[in-house]
Amino acid sequence: MTPTADDDPAAGHARSLLRAATRYSGARCLALCLVSIAATGTGLLLPAALGRALDLLLAHAPATRWVLCCAGLVLLLGLLDAVQTVLTGTVDARTTAWLRRRLTGHVLGVGPRAADRFGSGDLVARLVGNAAEAGTTPAARAALVAALAGPVGGVVALGLIDWWLAAVFLAGAPVLALLLRAVSRDTAESASRYQRAQGRIAAALAEAVEGVRTVRAAGTEGREAARVLRPLPDLSRAGHRMWRVQGRAAARAVAVAPLLQLAVVAVAGVLLTRDRLSVGDMLAASRYAVLATGVGVLVGRLAGLARARAAARRLGEVVTEPATAYGTRGLPDGPGRLELRGVTARRGGRTVLDGVDLDVPGGTTLAVVGRSGAGKSLLAALAGRLADPDAGEVLLDGVPLRELPHDVLRGAVGYAFARPALLGGTVGQAIGLGLPSPSPGLVREAARTALADDFVRRLPDGYDTPVADAPRSGGESQRLGLARAFAHGGRLLILDDALSSLDTVTERRITDALFGDGPGATRLLVAHRGATAACADAVAWLDGGRVRAVGRHEELWRLAEYRAVFGNGADPAGTDADDGAMPGNRVGPVGTDADDGGSRPVPDTRDGTSGERDVTGTKGRSGADAGDGATA
């Protein structure tokens, strides 16, 4: 049983989308409907004019006026058909563009959840192919009115010639109605299967294109092509079923419609022999019988509408994923204190983060470390509201992120990622992305901080070089992403493994620039290297979705399980794994003597006093001995 819009949210959203799209091109749809009806009306007048002209010619009476009338109707019909074609193309293009803009904005508003649910390839297939098919709906509906007006007008015209003609035709009309209903139902089902198979192929193709280097390196091109095309038999079956449905409908129409036409012509012949009809009337009746049985046009219109509805439903499925809602509360002045309170997040039915509590004082740096799959990147996404937790809340300077307006939140939080997407026409625009009016000086200063200025200047057009024409390594791309984050500013900077592709010298120089100028923005740093974690004021150790311990890197290094996070090797920062002490000639983060192994105190700026407190104020979880200096 096909679900209705009441119990199928996707169908309900699809109907709302199509109504809004129709309103968007409402004037053109109305014009198309009027032109189509005018064309149908002209087509209905033509048989009557031809019949009248024939009667006058057979009677050797003057028929010039009627002949000219027929010629004028033919010319008008051609003109109206041309206008109808132009309007149909215009409405289809406008509606498709509107749907794509609407769906693209919604997908971007939903964020990563959309790609997680549907896959990037399937999303592209929906926003490109399905939007184009759904975009034909308003024009098809307008044309359907005219397509229905033809048979109805034909029956009415038969009744005006003689009521017996209309009665004969109406006797077989229920068969045609059942035929059209079956076509609409079966086409919608097969079109839906066809489009789903297309989406699976598109999703697999996007994955293959993204991993093309891996495929080439593994020498599995043939196997990967087979994987991408695995849904092809389903696509073929659905396509063949769709054409069989329409073929059977056409065959039935060919069987039923001529019988009705012959019946009408036969009755008209009998009436002609009884002098109730003229020869011209019989000619007109034969033409009206053809118009009244115009099942072929209706079958095509209904099949097109069925495919469009199936495509619109796939768009409706995307809309069922709600866009992120924002609040209206302002963000007070503050140092950028970040708090996670009882944060739980699930992905794919698995609890990735479980009741995480963290408190990052403003102006300090917290490094987040843990094994692969511990939830580090998800925590970074939650901290800047690229995702929402399933339970708990995240606060910035005491305000829950959910309550902040979009512009305020994005202005307060800057991000850098391991694999930055460099959007924008030029390199300079990519660095200044998201800023209302980035100055060249600001862009260059951010690039210098990220050690990107030198290689950008060596590009053919420097900062004006198109991104697509700027050859760069993974580390250079990462530095451009860092430059974008530095240019953004804000009170909270989140670096999600944003230093992973840098060589150790470059990484150290960037971390010195980040952390060497005293208190500034609060920094949350996802780290995989001990040297990076050692530069932070504190480290949060994630293990099994929970905070195992919080403390200074050199303190936590005393724990064998913590050292195992970095591969059980020697501490890249120089920590002696035996005693947890830092060499005396190494200076820790600003203001910290690495030899004392203690947590660095920082001023508590919340109440304006100079009292000292622990840098994290964080509630950790089990696994660390409080006696070794790590917060447990």
Side-chain angles (χ1 to χ4, degrees):
M1 178 178 177
T2 303
T4 63
D6 295 332
D7 53 16
D8 184 0
H13 284 296
R15 293 174 59 183
S16 298
L17 274 176
L18 293 179
R19 281 196 297 267
T22 302
R23 287 195 298 269
Y24 175 71
S25 296
R28 287 176 172 80
C29 286
L30 178 60
L32 176 60
C33 186
L34 293 176
V35 169
S36 300
I37 291 175
T40 301
T42 302
L44 289 170
L45 289 174
L46 186 57
L50 287 171
R52 180 60 177 164
L54 178 60
D55 284 340
L56 291 174
L57 289 172
L58 291 175
H60 302 287
T64 304
R65 186 177 60 180
W66 284 100
V67 171
L68 291 175
C69 179
C70 292
L73 288 174
V74 171
L75 290 174
L76 179 60
L77 188 59
L79 177 63
L80 290 173
D81 284 343
V83 174
Q84 183 179 2
T85 300
V86 172
L87 282 174
T88 299
T90 303
V91 171
D92 288 351
R94 282 175 56 87
T95 306
T96 299
W98 184 89
L99 286 171
R100 285 174 177 165
R101 284 196 300 269
R102 170 75 172 80
L103 268 294
T104 300
H106 183 79
V107 167
L108 295 177
V110 171
R113 283 184 289 115
D116 292 342
R117 176 179 172 184
F118 300 103
S120 57
D122 189 29
L123 276 177
V124 171
R126 292 173 192 251
L127 268 63
V128 177
N130 294 149
E133 283 193 281
T136 64
T137 303
R141 285 175 174 172
L144 183 63
V145 174
L148 289 170
V152 172
V155 174
V156 172
L158 288 174
L160 292 176
I161 295 173
D162 193 285
W163 68 272
W164 271 105
L165 301 177
V168 169
F169 179 85
L170 290 176
V175 178
L176 292 176
L178 291 175
L179 172 63
L180 294 174
R181 182 176 181 275
V183 168
S184 179
R185 182 188 64 247
D186 295 341
T187 301
E189 180 185 356
S190 55
S192 180
R193 293 180 180 177
Y194 188 87
Q195 291 163 2
R196 285 197 298 269
Q198 280 183 319
R200 292 198 299 273
I201 291 176
L205 180 60
E207 294 173 0
V209 170
E210 185 176 358
V212 65
R213 289 187 297 177
T214 301
V215 173
R216 290 291 300 277
T220 57
E221 293 91 340
R223 191 185 312 166
E224 191 64 17
R227 183 186 72 86
V228 171
L229 299 177
R230 191 173 298 149
L232 199 56
D234 293 338
L235 185 73
S236 177
R237 282 192 293 270
H240 280 86
R241 173 174 170 75
M242 192 159 48
W243 288 115
R244 282 197 300 270
V245 167
Q246 296 186 39
R248 284 196 298 267
R252 292 166 183 168
V254 168
V256 175
L259 291 177
L260 288 175
Q261 295 169 15
L262 288 173
V264 171
V265 171
V267 172
V270 172
L271 295 175
L272 176 65
T273 59
R274 297 181 180 181
D275 295 327
R276 289 180 56 176
L277 295 181
S278 66
V279 175
D281 290 337
M282 185 171 177
L283 172 64
S286 66
R287 295 301 306 157
Y288 285 129
V290 173
L291 291 175
T293 56
V295 179
V297 176
L298 283 176
V299 166
R301 298 295 184 191
L302 289 175
L305 273 176
R307 291 193 299 270
R309 283 199 302 268
R313 189 187 180 283
R314 282 174 56 77
L315 300 182
E317 290 176 355
V318 177
V319 181
T320 57
E321 192 70 28
T324 302
Y326 294 90
T328 57
R329 185 173 173 182
L331 189 63
D333 293 335
R337 180 186 180 189
L338 176 67
E339 300 172 80
L340 281 75
R341 299 178 179 173
V343 168
T344 296
R346 303 178 184 89
R347 291 295 182 271
R350 181 175 70 92
T351 299
V352 180
L353 296 175
D354 185 10
V356 172
D357 293 305
L358 283 175
D359 185 356
V360 187
T364 65
T365 301
L366 176 69
V368 180
V369 304
R371 293 182 180 275
S372 177
K376 302 183 296 298
S377 290
L378 180 55
L379 188 147
L382 296 172
R385 210 191 171 198
L386 295 184
D388 286 325
D390 294 285
E393 60 181 355
V394 183
L395 301 92
L396 183 61
D397 284 322
V399 181
L401 297 187
R402 293 176 184 269
E403 299 181 12
L404 292 175
H406 175 272
D407 292 343
V408 172
L409 174 62
R410 292 297 149 229
V413 182
Y415 264 100
F417 303 98
R419 299 174 62 185
L422 299 175
L423 308 176
T426 66
V427 172
Q429 291 171 350
I431 294 175
L433 184 72
L435 298 178
S437 54
S439 66
L442 175 64
V443 169
R444 289 187 173 89
E445 180 60 31
R448 281 192 288 270
T449 303
L451 302 183
D453 182 65
D454 287 343
F455 80 81
V456 171
R457 287 182 180 274
R458 290 195 297 270
L459 294 173
D461 297 310
Y463 286 89
D464 294 326
T465 303
V467 173
D469 298 335
R472 57 194 181 275
S473 66
E476 288 170 338
S477 293
Q478 208 163 68
R479 278 184 271 169
L480 290 176
L482 286 166
R484 181 172 59 199
F486 298 157
H488 178 276
R491 64 182 72 183
L492 174 62
L493 178 62
I494 300 175
L495 306 181
D496 184 3
D497 200 18
L499 307 174
S500 59
S501 295
L502 305 180
D503 61 85
T504 55
V505 174
T506 301
E507 179 185 359
R508 182 55 186 267
R509 290 175 62 188
I510 290 178
T511 53
D512 286 346
L514 271 173
F515 311 137
D517 295 331
T522 304
R523 294 168 288 266
L524 183 69
L525 176 65
V526 174
H528 289 86
R529 295 177 181 172
T532 307
C535 292
D537 296 312
V539 176
W541 174 17
L542 286 183
D543 186 20
R546 299 191 175 194
V547 178
R548 177 80 173 267
V550 177
R552 294 297 303 270
H553 173 72
E554 56 266 27
E555 299 163 359
L556 297 175
W557 191 257
R558 299 171 183 173
L559 304 175
E561 292 183 8
Y562 180 78
R563 294 196 299 271
V565 172
F566 302 98
N568 279 316
D571 183 4
T575 306
D576 183 353
D578 294 332
D579 59 10
M582 302 291 289
N585 61 356
R586 181 187 180 278
V587 179
V590 178
T592 304
D593 182 357
D595 287 339
D596 64 11
S599 299
R600 188 184 77 161
V602 295
D604 187 343
T605 57
R606 289 175 295 176
D607 58 7
T609 66
S610 60
E612 295 180 341
R613 58 189 174 87
D614 179 59
V615 69
T616 63
T618 308
K619 293 181 283 184
R621 298 217 175 243
S622 62
D625 183 356
D628 66 7
T631 304

